[in-house]
Amino acid sequence: MVRTYKKKTDRYIPPADIFLRAARDIRNGISSIRKAAADYNINYKTLSRFCKKVTPEELANNITKVQMGYQKPRQVFSEEEEMQLENYLKKAADIYFGLTPKEVKRLAYDYAKALGKVMPQKWIDTLMAGPDWFSGFLKRHPRLSIRTPQSTSLSRATSFNRTNVAAFFDNLANLFDRYSFRPTDIYNMDETGVTTVQRPDRIVARKGFRQIGAITSTERGTLVTVAIAVSASGNSIPPLFIFPRVHFKDHFLRGAPAGSIGAANRSGWMNNDIFLTFMKHLVATVKCTKKSPILLLLDNLDSHLSIASLNFAKDNGVVMLSFPPHCSHKMQPLDRSVFYSLKKFINSNCESWLRTNPGKTITIYDIPGIVGNAIPLALVPNNVTSGFKVSGIYPFNRDIFSDQDFLPSYVTDRPNPNQESANLLQPVEMTTNTLSPSTSAQAESWSSTSASSASTISAIESAFSPEAIRPLPKAQERKNTKQQRKKRKSAILTDTPVKDELEAEQVARANKAEKPKRNLFSENFSVSSNKKKKYQRKQHKQESSSEEEETFCLVCDGNYSNSKDSWLQCTRCKRWAHEKCANRNLFYVCHNCDSDDDDDSS
C-alpha cells in the first residue's frame, strides 16, 4: 500500500439514511430507480446495487449494514482502539516516560495480539508493527508527533507536586495578609552561570556538508556567576558578578552595568559571605526598612540559608520566602521568563565580540561588558512581569497550575499515611436520617447501579487498554532508612522558629565537622581484630611504597615484595614481620624490643 495515497476523484458518497429513504420510495412504488437516483443525487448503478443488498427488516428499522461507495482500507485497529492507544501515548509523554517510535510499534503488536486482531505476516515475523502503519497512525492522529524531549531530572519531575506547591502558596498568602506587599516590594533573586564559550546560533550555509563550524573562544570555557534580582513591577537591581579568583579587583567590572558589584571565589560560585554582600547591596539599592519591608523569593541553596544573612535580612526589613526544592523551573519568575532570553542575547553578543575582535579570545574580564549589553534587552518590564504572572505569584493565583502540570509526579505519588490515619480516626456522621425512606432507597439503588457500571467499565478498560499490556511506571513504596538527608521545604526563612531551627542545624553541622578523628589503636576505642589487621596492612603498604629500600621480616629475613602473607608491625620499633613469624600476636612486640625490656628490668 502506498503511504501517501491521495483520492483521485471527488465523487459524492451520500450517507446511509439517504440510501434508505431512496430504497424505501422504490419499494413502496413511489418512484422508479432512475427517478429516485435523480431526486436524491445518487448514482443510478450505486442505488441499484444497494436495493439488491438491503433487506426489508433494515428498511423497516431504518438501519443498515450495507456500505456503498469508496471505503477506507482495512485497518488493524478500530477508531476506538486507536483512540485508546493515542490517549496512552499522550499520558506516557505527560509523565515524562514517553515511548520511542520503535517502542510504539512493539506496543501496537502486543496490543493487536491481545485483542486477537488479524495482522500482516511482517508484524508476526518482526514482533512489531510496520512503518506503513506507524506513518498512517500519525496522520490519522495529528495531535501526535515525534518530538525531542528536554532532559529533566527525577528530582524536578517528582518534587513538583500538589503538596509542595500548596505549601508554598499557603506561605505566600500568609505573607500577603501580614504585610500587604505591593508589586514594587516583591523581588525574586537567583544566580546563573555565564561562560566564556558561547553556544553558536543557527547560520545559513551550503547544502551537502555534514559539519558546519562556528568560532568559539576555547574548547572549555571559564564560568562567571551572575546574581540578579527583579521585582514584580518589572524593575531590576544592578547584578553581582562572582569571578573564579582568590581576590577581587575593581577593574574586573569593566563595562558592567552601572551600580554593579563584584566578588571573588575560587570556584566562582555563591557562598555565605558573598550572599551576605549581595543582601547588603539589595538593601542599599531598594532602601527597605522594617517599616517598609520587601519580600525576597529565592531557592533553598545552602548559601542562602546562612544565619548571618538571615539576621541581616530580618534587621533590615527583608522577608525571605524559599521555593520548594527542585521546583524553580516552574515557580521561579527568573527561570520562567528572563534567563532564557538573557542567555540568547549573551550568545549573540559573544559572537559579535568575536567578529569585532578577530584572533582574540573572550576572557572572564570581558563577561561584564557582554552581560551589560544583554541585560537591557532581556530584563524588559514585559518579560519580568510575565514571569511573576505565569508562576502565580503576582497577581496571586494558587490555581495557576493545571492537573497536566503535576502529571510528571504521577510516578512517585502515593497517599499521605498521616492524612489517611487522621481520616480513619474521625467519627462518621450519619446523614441518612434526613432522607425519607423512598429517597434513601432510591439513593441506594443509584449508588449500587453507578458502582456496578463503574466497575464494569473499569474492568473492560483494564482488559483491553494498552496500559494493561504495558503498565505505566510507578515507584515502589520508599523504604525507611536510618540515615536520610534532611529534606527542605518552602518556608518563611526570616520567621523566628524557622531561623532558630536552621541555626541549630548549622551549629550541629559545624560541631560535627570539628570533631577529631578517632585513633584506631587508642585505649578508649574498641575495634575488632580484623579491622586492626587490615589497618596495619594498609599502613605497611603505604609506607613500603613510599620507601626505596625493600622491607624484610625481622624473624626470617623474607622480603615483602615476594610475600603473599599478612604482615604485622612492632608497636615499639615500627619494624615489620610475617604474621606467622610473630605467632599471630595482635599487639606484636619483636624479640629485639622484648630483649631490651628484659635487660632494662634486670
Side-chain angles (χ1 to χ4, degrees), residues 79 92 189 254 281-282 286 306 324 353 404 423 439 441 448 568:
E79 294 183 1
M189 175 266 172
R254 180 184 58 197
H281 172 61
L282 175 66
V286 180
S306 64
W353 191 95
Q404 190 173 0
N423 294 335
T439 308
S448 61
L568 292 179

Side-chain angles (χ1 to χ4, degrees), residues 306-416:
S306 64
I307 299 302
S309 301
L310 295 180
N311 291 331
F312 177 82
K314 190 171 184 179
D315 295 339
N316 291 273
V318 180
V319 181
M320 299 173 63
L321 174 62
S322 63
F323 292 106
H326 308 293
C327 295
S328 59
H329 64 294
K330 289 281 190 179
M331 306 187 67
Q332 185 159 241
L334 283 171
D335 285 339
R336 293 297 301 270
S337 64
V338 175
F339 280 160
Y340 178 79
S341 57
L342 178 62
K343 292 295 183 67
K344 294 288 289 184
F345 287 119
I346 288 176
N347 286 336
S348 300
N349 285 323
C350 287
E351 293 183 355
S352 302
W353 191 95
L354 290 174
R355 290 190 179 94
T356 308
N357 302 274
K360 296 182 179 180
T361 59
I362 300 176
T363 62
I364 60 174
Y365 310 113
D366 301 318
I367 294 294
I370 294 174
V371 175
N373 295 331
I375 281 182
L377 302 176
L379 271 68
V380 294
N382 289 337
N383 275 3
V384 176
T385 55
S386 64
F388 284 88
K389 183 178 180 180
V390 298
S391 57
I393 296 175
Y394 191 87
F396 180 79
N397 184 9
R398 65 167 59 245
D399 299 324
I400 191 67
F401 301 108
S402 61
D403 294 337
Q404 190 173 0
D405 294 325
F406 297 108
L407 280 178
S409 62
Y410 162 84
V411 181
T412 55
D413 274 350
R414 55 181 63 89
N416 189 354

Side-chain angles (χ1 to χ4, degrees), residues 22 27 58 195 214 223 284 298 303 307 366 399 418 449 521 568:
R27 290 289 177 92
E58 292 178 341
T195 179
L223 191 72
L298 70 174
S303 58
I307 299 302
D366 301 318
D399 299 324
N418 298 329
T449 305
F521 293 101
L568 292 179

